[in-house]
Amino acid sequence: LKQQRNPSGMPRDIFRCPGPPNPASLKPGEMRPRIGRQGGPALSQIETFYEVMRKQGITRRSFMKYCALTASALGLGPAFVPKIAHAMETKPRTPVIWVNGLECTCCSESFIRGAHPLAKDVVLSMISLDYSHTLMAAAGHHAEAALQETIDKYKGNYILAVEGNPPLNEDGMFCIVGGKPFVEQLKHAAEHAKAVISWGACASYGCVQAAAPNPTRATPVHKVITDKPIIKVPGCPPIAEVMTGVITYMLTFDRLPELDRQGRPAMFYGQRIHDKCYRRPHFDAGQFVEAWDDENARKGYCLYKMGCKGPTTYNACSTIRWNEGTSFPIQSGHGCIGCSEDGFWDQGSFYGRLTNIKQFGVEANADQVGMAAAGVVGGAVAVHAAISALKRAQKKTQEKVEG
């Protein structure tokens, strides 16, 4: 970082990754040049993320800090910070159509509460959110007209974000949007989408709507849309920073993030909550909460016996956490319910011990382990002695025969 004087005489920050011209310096009606983006004139008319941030009074220092935080959240090294900054300075914001089926809107609530990126100022500036009947001001025919206009204008260049799932029973009549079954809107919007993001457990797996006996035949998005790349971002809801991190990655690198075998971003769903849980040492030591609010609970012991699904759940809760990194359910004293896994509503009680994880249990089972080990050693000694005695008897018998 260096200091340099600008024409007004005020110092400004100069970073290794140079910024574009200040939008305020452009003449009325003048568009800044676009770099490295395909999509035609319609797409090039969308402002970049950097331009929107500058209009909102965000300094370049804060912008670069945001890029560094984003790289860290994505698990990328410092070398990627300039790349993220360059992408956001030069690429138009990505057009996004956000549709809602059977859901409770918790994914939207989570998304707009992201801490890094700074949700209250810029999270919705990363994308050109052209349709979302939850967040947009328009309603009725005006909202549906905006949807169709976006599809026609950015054909093949927009991302379809789906919150909730379509019910297929009774010709989809259990969820009506704009006077038509939601499944029709979903198929229509997906036809010309560049990619599809399935927000939350509802869109990814079906969630509570698809729980047995599933009378509406609520169906995950990937079983309805089969000809488009789909990114599953499960959770009930997903973590805000995970949602914005996925968008940032796609904006920066113009490709889908690496996915696991279930179609989830590996950068956020590559480890079990159990692997990074701060209560893991208590699990390894065999120290468990036996009843709610018992002495072990007050000591912060492991919640595995209280039904915690952390050992079988893949998510970033124990690393990124919630509410600006403040806490997550296990830290608040409640076990993980496994909401980012397929069919978690049909796995029995949230408080039932479903898994059969074997742990050593240093504190609880040390005596038993020691006695077992002693028994094994004693048995081995006895067997060795018996074999030795048998060999000596055989040797004496052979000597008598030869004599």
Side-chain angles (χ1 to χ4, degrees):
L1 178 66
K2 299 179 180 179
Q3 291 289 329
Q4 178 176 313
R5 298 279 173 177
N6 62 22
S8 65
M10 298 297 292
R12 64 180 181 183
D13 298 332
I14 304 298
F15 292 82
R16 292 182 179 179
C17 183
N22 190 329
S25 65
L26 298 176
K27 298 178 181 179
E30 181 181 0
M31 294 294 293
R32 65 179 304 283
R34 300 295 194 264
I35 303 174
R37 180 77 180 195
Q38 297 179 351
L43 198 60
S44 67
Q45 294 175 3
I46 304 178
E47 292 177 303
T48 68
F49 176 63
Y50 180 78
E51 288 172 344
V52 174
M53 289 187 69
R54 293 294 291 170
K55 285 184 176 180
Q56 294 180 356
I58 305 298
T59 65
R60 181 157 180 81
R61 179 187 292 274
S62 297
F63 171 70
M64 292 304 295
K65 184 184 293 185
Y66 157 77
C67 293
L69 289 170
T70 300
S72 176
L74 295 175
L76 304 175
F80 285 91
V81 175
K83 295 182 179 181
I84 292 176
H86 178 72
M88 294 187 174
E89 290 166 348
T90 59
K91 295 180 181 179
R93 294 180 298 154
T94 304
V96 172
I97 294 174
W98 189 311
V99 297
N100 301 69
L102 294 179
E103 43 81 23
C104 68
T105 317
C106 67
C107 297
S108 294
E109 292 286 351
S110 179
F111 186 75
I112 62 177
R113 283 163 174 76
H116 302 295
L118 307 174
K120 62 180 181 180
D121 293 322
V122 300
V123 69
L124 295 180
S125 300
M126 293 173 57
I127 58 178
S128 177
L129 187 56
D130 296 333
Y131 177 86
S132 169
H133 66 227
T134 301
L135 301 176
M136 67 194 306
H141 295 295
H142 295 290
E144 299 310 303
L147 171 63
Q148 189 58 48
E149 180 183 357
T150 303
I151 293 174
D152 295 339
K153 190 175 182 179
Y154 304 114
K155 188 174 295 185
N157 287 300
Y158 63 87
I159 293 174
L160 176 63
V162 185
E163 181 176 357
N165 53 52
L168 303 184
N169 211 0
E170 302 291 343
D171 297 322
M173 297 304 291
F174 290 101
C175 184
I176 303 296
V177 178
K180 299 179 181 179
F182 170 68
V183 65
E184 294 185 13
Q185 184 193 60
L186 174 62
K187 292 179 178 179
H188 178 62
E191 182 179 1
H192 298 292
K194 181 165 60 175
V196 178
I197 301 177
S198 293
W199 290 137
C202 298
S204 299
Y205 301 129
C207 202
V208 64
Q209 301 91 297
N214 191 9
T216 66
R217 280 185 62 204
T219 306
V221 172
H222 67 276
K223 292 185 178 181
V224 176
I225 306 302
T226 58
D227 59 347
K228 296 289 180 179
I230 296 178
I231 309 169
K232 298 177 185 175
V233 187
C236 195
I239 302 171
E241 287 72 31
V242 170
M243 300 176 75
T244 55
V246 170
I247 291 287
T248 302
Y249 186 97
M250 296 176 68
L251 173 65
T252 302
F253 299 105
D254 278 329
R255 65 172 185 266
L256 273 62
E258 179 185 354
L259 305 178
D260 66 9
R261 62 181 182 178
Q262 294 191 37
R264 304 174 296 190
M267 65 183 75
F268 298 118
Y269 296 90
Q271 290 184 316
R272 300 175 302 168
I273 291 177
H274 184 66
D275 296 332
K276 294 295 181 67
C277 180
Y278 77 101
R279 299 193 189 215
R280 174 66 183 269
H282 295 296
F283 176 90
D284 295 335
Q287 298 171 330
F288 300 102
V289 175
E290 302 289 345
W292 295 115
D293 203 33
D294 67 2
E295 187 62 26
N296 291 348
R298 300 183 186 193
K299 290 180 180 179
Y301 283 3
C302 179
L303 294 165
Y304 168 64
K305 288 188 177 181
M306 305 306 295
C308 180
K309 309 303 186 296
T312 58
T313 301
Y314 288 80
N315 209 332
C317 300
S318 55
T319 51
I320 297 179
R321 306 189 182 188
W322 295 79
N323 299 323
E324 302 185 20
T326 301
S327 182
F328 70 114
I330 294 174
Q331 187 174 344
S332 300
H334 192 286
C336 167
I337 64 174
C339 70
S340 58
E341 295 300 318
D342 191 2
F344 82 99
W345 278 99
D346 289 322
Q347 301 302 319
S349 169
F350 292 158
Y351 306 106
R353 180 176 168 179
L354 302 177
T355 56
N356 189 25
I357 306 298
K358 302 294 184 181
Q359 77 286 336
F360 178 62
V362 175
E363 300 295 336
N365 299 322
D367 292 338
Q368 294 92 322
V369 171
M371 292 177 63
V376 171
V377 172
V381 170
V383 171
H384 178 71
I387 294 175
S388 298
L390 179 61
K391 286 184 176 180
R392 285 196 297 270
Q394 290 176 342
K395 185 176 182 181
K396 288 181 180 181
T397 301
Q398 185 177 1
E399 289 177 350
K400 289 181 180 180
V401 172
E402 292 177 352

